Amino acid sequence: MSAGPEPVPARRPGGPPPPPPVERRDKANYLNVSFGVKSWLLTTDHKRIALLYLASISLMFALGGLFAVAIRLELLTPGGDLVQSETYNKLFTMHGIVMVFFFLIPSIPAVLGNFLIPIMIGARDLAFPRLNLASWYVYMIGAAFTLYALISGGVDTGWTFYTPYSIVSNTHVVAAAVGIFVTGFSSILTGLNFIVTIHKMRAPGLTWFRLPLFVWAHYATSLIMVLGTPVVAVTILMVAAERILHLGLFDPRLGGDPVLFQHLFWFYSHPAVYIMILPSMGVISELVTAMSRKRIFGYGVIAMSSLAIAMLGFLVWGHHLFVSGQSAYAGMVFSLLSFMVAIPSAIKVFNWTATLYKGSVALQTPLLYTVGFIGLFTIGGLTGIFLAATGLDVHVHDTYFVIAHFHYIMVGGAIMGYLGGLHFWWPKITGRMYPEWWARVSAATVFLGFNLTFFPQFVLGYLGMPRRYHAYAEEFQVLNVMSSAGASILGVGYLLPMLYFGWSMRYGKKAPANPWGAKGLEWETDSPPIPENFARQPHVTEEAYAYAPSEVVVV
Amino acid sequence: MSETALPAHDAAHHPRLAHHFTDLTSQKDASSLGMWLFLAQEIMFFGGLFLAYTVYRALYSPGFAEASHHLDWKLGAFNTVVLIGSSLTMAMGVHAAALGHNRTTAGYLLATIALGGVFLGVKVVEYGDKFRHHLVPGAHFQWDGLHTRAAEIFYSLYFAMTGLHALHMVIGIPILAWMAWMAWRGRFSREYHTPVEMTGLYWHFVDIVWIFLFPLLYLIA
Amino acid sequence: MFRELPLWPDQASTMAGRVDALYVFLLAIGTFFSVLIAVLVVGFAVRFRRRSEDERPPAILGSTALELTWSLIPLGIVLFVFVWATEIFFAMNRVPPGAMEIYVVGKRWMWKTQHLTGQREINELHVPVGVPVKLTMTSEDVIHSFYVPAFRMKKDVLPGRYSTMWFEATRPGRYHLFCAEYCGTKHSGMIGSVVVMEPAAFQAWLAGGAAGGSLSAAGERRFAELGCQTCHRADSAGRGPVLDGLFGGTVRLANGATVQADETYVRESIVNPAAKVVAGYQPIMPTYQGLVSEEGLMQLIAYIQTLKAPAGRATPPAAGAGASAAEGAR
Amino acid sequence: MAHELEPTQDAEQHEYSEHVVPVGVYLAVFAALLVLTGVTVWTAHIDLGAVNTPLALAIAVTKATLVILFFMHVKYSGKLVRLAVAAGIFWLFHLIVGTAADYASRSRVNPAGRPGETMVLEDR
Ligand code: HEA
Ligand code: HEA
Ligand code: CUA
Ligand SMILES: [Cu+2]
């Protein structure tokens, strides 16, 4: 432990004026260091950029949620009576596009990752702060294109843009495609920034195997972002080109092969589902240890399983094509590989469970979300096994079984992790505590509403109700009503955090630096952190999650 | 956990050192890794088109051969030489920058721009020729050979791949011009010339893409 | 009550039972693991809840034995499931010989089916019970998917090529037919029913209205109308190859390759004749793309299938014989 | 104390070495690239049957390797940069091979099938 002179804030010539001196440590933090719209829109502070993202993706979530509400209302009755079928098709398309590309993919990485990664590794900022800001602008430009597509009439291709329908559809496919193309680059830039940061900016003593698991998860996620996203970008660009320039690459009338599109699309979009779940798994790894004040069980295995998921995730895209006309032999291989991805996921689930064993478990909101995540992810993941089983997928492909599968993982899993993380780090981000009682109520509401919404959809799917159906056969109604009822409960569950988080920013109890008694560099700095994150350069001398134990058990 | 003071950026530190790095070397390492990751991303971006090319070439090989004969391989070869030349001048530019010779750097960068311009000029001539001969896919596509559909797919790929490649050059040239301007103004030094290097990496990458495009498009037997 | 809240789909094909068995197995596995995890997580959380702020849990760093256990057991399970599922999948893809052939065309937003005997249906398909039926399907516009939940069978129907699917119905009745691949505005209206009938009833139905004669007869008429016989004549005096006995055999192409003369090949020969030129012939055949509908193409194919081989060509497989022949083959 | 201040980095501290490559190397690489371009054109104009395309690709790979190693200084760069290069190339390879495997096995397993066609295994 060595103490140098009080740090002098650094500055670049021509850069923004230096932040106030650090003597007023308890007062100056990244939130109050400067004011005004410009200080936010031109900031290069990763913490502020994280908040910019938080605001944007929350809006996008509300928008996607509104579409979901409209979908569920329409599906209350079997006849397509609430909206026209054109409208319905636009609703689920926009719901999928907004939720996937504009909410879930950026959610944890761009908000929590952006905020926490530099702090967790003891750095002042990401490696490329201006690139970080640029990626937010790129995201906003992409969102603007997509919103334009929406306002000027919508898109109706489904979020998958399958050709040749997306070539002949007379809706605003090009605008939406450009929107996704552009946002893709935001995700690439974020991933690139994370990789370089994690390699190059770690504090002294912070070796790879001392990194928090959240950072490992983001490292794996970033690999997928950098290596997968460009493929969907160019694919979607080709679709736009087919529409504008009449190239014939995917159009069978011109000799193109629509199945090639599906290969290209899923080459990215399957790994993309791991972009959506890995960060959430990272959050859960942090939460289980912090909430049980106990070393994580199997640190190395969890870290490596993130990488394994990222790698194996690139090998399985063909499992979306079992009935598409892909060769049955290719289907067989893709099926086998899909089963293999289940193993690292299983490892994580079991290790989290084992971590709770003999812990000192605080039954607070973050833990409730953790428990919810583990349960719902398990169900979602295990139904993924059903889908990866070729002979069974032939029946349930493109039915509500698939819808239920991925909502279990993305809504039940990923969003639970996101909300859990948001609650856990909220004191750090805002310096205020959220109201614990309301938070527990909302966690319970989300859990109940969620299961009521999506469990019946498994049954519907096995009964054979196809997805993307505006009107459906009468016998499916009861289950659909259950699902819609659940969705309204779920909606309330999501509305609550939006309200009390907003409330707490002003009225919440002031948060101490480490309200959870948790380990990790982020808890060593102020809440909210000072602009340069740490007053002094931290040195790391111990493993991650080194809670002082009663005894060390080596099994 | 222990800590030390944040590195004090005293007056002696290099003006180009950003606040969150401790020294120029690590800053440069970060840039160079970042650039390489960006190029890995670019490989995948072009990769989608190369995949489409592979699939259709396998499906329609006679048609592709027929269609390829309507491309002028001499122009293609000429452009290959031009682009390789520009890669050389680019490498020399980086070399000069590393030695701190700002004016020389600017000169090499201008030469690179000029060669890039020649390349694009030839491309314009070629594209114009395709327009005149109705080889642009779409409603006006005409083909008097056997394999009309395969030829149209071939030309779809031709325009998509060379177009995207040319777009990368069109983006690269202003960046080169900017670098040349900065070099001319003496902004680089032995210690700090990362932007020139990064631009160089980008330009060489564009060259590599063309190295593959040339035989794949112009020289199908 | 249970009429309103159905929990299990009808089982009406030979595949249904096999798929359901796998499903039940997976349900059991899934329930077991979900309950196990839920009980452990909730149990640990409650049992080891924090009772005082100064509790110090032990540090349990990990255990190789446990890690291996919970990797290898799931691995074993998924490998088992893999083998089982793949077996079903290949059975689904392997059309039994001599299956009764029916042609299906999907277009936005209807299903058109044609029997070899000439019956044409819209959004309906009549099939006999106990007979393997092979569907040869194509689309006139975008991708559709032919889905009969009661059969547990589904296959995408693509434009520009034929996809095949087969099933053997086991229970008479009327079952849902859905389009399962999103195809635009009225995707959810692209539905119909599959009517499974006792063989006798089916024969009676077949005898009913075959307005235009059999499929191959329709094809023969089209062959004449389109002027195909000006070049393709049975006496090899035409400018084009003799088509008798073509179907099912192999064809040598001008570029040296050989191809199998199946539906897709014949279709391509008509709509894009230059793509594969028969050895010894000039590519003079005009394209009929746009001149013949997908249904017309299927009729032509059915007709070409019936052209029996003169001595020397490979024998085409039994085709065009309808239900009775298919039954015989079983 | 100075070295303590440096953030932890991967084993090799300097990804990018200040190695200044002699100009002669650049010129030699340039000459090699020109020669190889000539060879590509030449071999394309003689009929080698199935060998033509692989040969053209092999030459292109050689040229690309030269550019990457010398012009782009990968020969003098650290492990991490090499890893990034390798990852890019490997993933591209994987994208193409994975998809091509589907197309190739469509024709191989079904004698009646050709690439681009729905596969059916028929017991004929
Ligand atoms: C975050 C998103 C996410 C995640 C993580 C996953 C994870 C998985 N998915 Fe999912 N999937 C989607 C999102 C996701 N999926 C989406 C959006 C679609 C539809 C796209 C569309 O068409 O619109 C889809 C569709 C989809 C299909 C195609 C279905 C079809 O269209 O016909 C398949 C098929 O194989 C599949 C499989 C899997 C598998 C095997 C996993 C595995 O990774 C799951 C692994 C996890 C576990 C297995 C649970 C934990 C393990 C245990 C508790 C131990 C016990 C385990 C065993 C005994 C095996 N998914
Ligand atoms: C991250 C991804 C994500 C998320 C979070 C959700 C969330 C939800 N989805 Fe989503 N869904 C998809 C991704 C997602 N979905 C995708 C990819 C598809 C496929 C699309 C396609 O086929 O192309 C799909 C399709 C899909 C369908 C199938 C449509 C069809 O095939 O016909 C249904 C039907 O029930 C559905 C329902 C829901 C519901 C009820 C929620 C609920 O969880 C939503 C709950 C949220 C709310 C109820 C909003 C809460 C309220 C607020 C936030 C504030 C209110 C706003 C203001 C005050 C302004 N979704
Ligand atoms: Cu046809 Cu959906
Ligand atoms: Cu997938």
Side-chain angles (χ1 to χ4, degrees), chain A residues 266 269-271 273-274 316-317 319-320:
Chain A
W266 291 113
S269 294
H270 181 82
V273 309
Y274 298 113
V316 308
W317 75 87
H319 68 205
H320 296 269

Side-chain angles (χ1 to χ4, degrees), chain A residues 442-496:
Chain A
S442 104
T445 318
V446 168
F447 186 81
L448 289 177
F450 173 81
N451 281 297
L452 185 55
T453 313
F454 294 107
F455 199 82
Q457 295 188 0
F458 283 125
V459 184
L460 276 174
Y462 201 73
L463 283 170
M465 176 169 166
R467 62 192 282 200
R468 299 171 172 173
Y469 261 32
H470 164 239
Y472 54 85
E474 306 249 327
E475 68 256 34
F476 300 141
Q477 188 174 8
V478 179
L479 288 159
N480 268 297
V481 171
M482 285 163 73
S483 179
S484 296
S488 32
I489 301 178
L490 183 58
V492 174
Y494 284 141
L495 204 56
L496 281 178

Side-chain angles (χ1 to χ4, degrees), chain A residues 2 4-5 10 13 126-129 188 196 201 227 230 234 238 245 247-249 255-257 521 524 534 536-539 541, chain B residues 1-6 15 19-21 29-30 34 37-38 41 44-45 48-49 51-52 56 60 137-138 149 153 156-157:
Chain A
S2 50
L126 288 175
F128 309 115
I188 294 173
V196 177
M201 318 281 294
L227 292 167
V234 76
M238 283 194 255
L245 307 172
L247 305 185
L249 293 180
D257 180 7
L521 283 180
E524 311 244 324
F534 298 97
R536 288 147 181 278
Q537 171 68 54
H539 284 215
T541 51
Chain B
M1 199 95 24
S2 65
E3 46 185 35
T4 50
L6 276 181
H19 65 14
H20 56 295
F21 282 104
D29 283 355
L37 287 171
F38 179 77
Q41 176 278 133
M44 296 310 286
F45 189 76
L49 289 171
L51 171 62
Y56 291 124
Y60 302 122
R149 288 232 226 117
I153 295 265
S156 293
L157 281 168

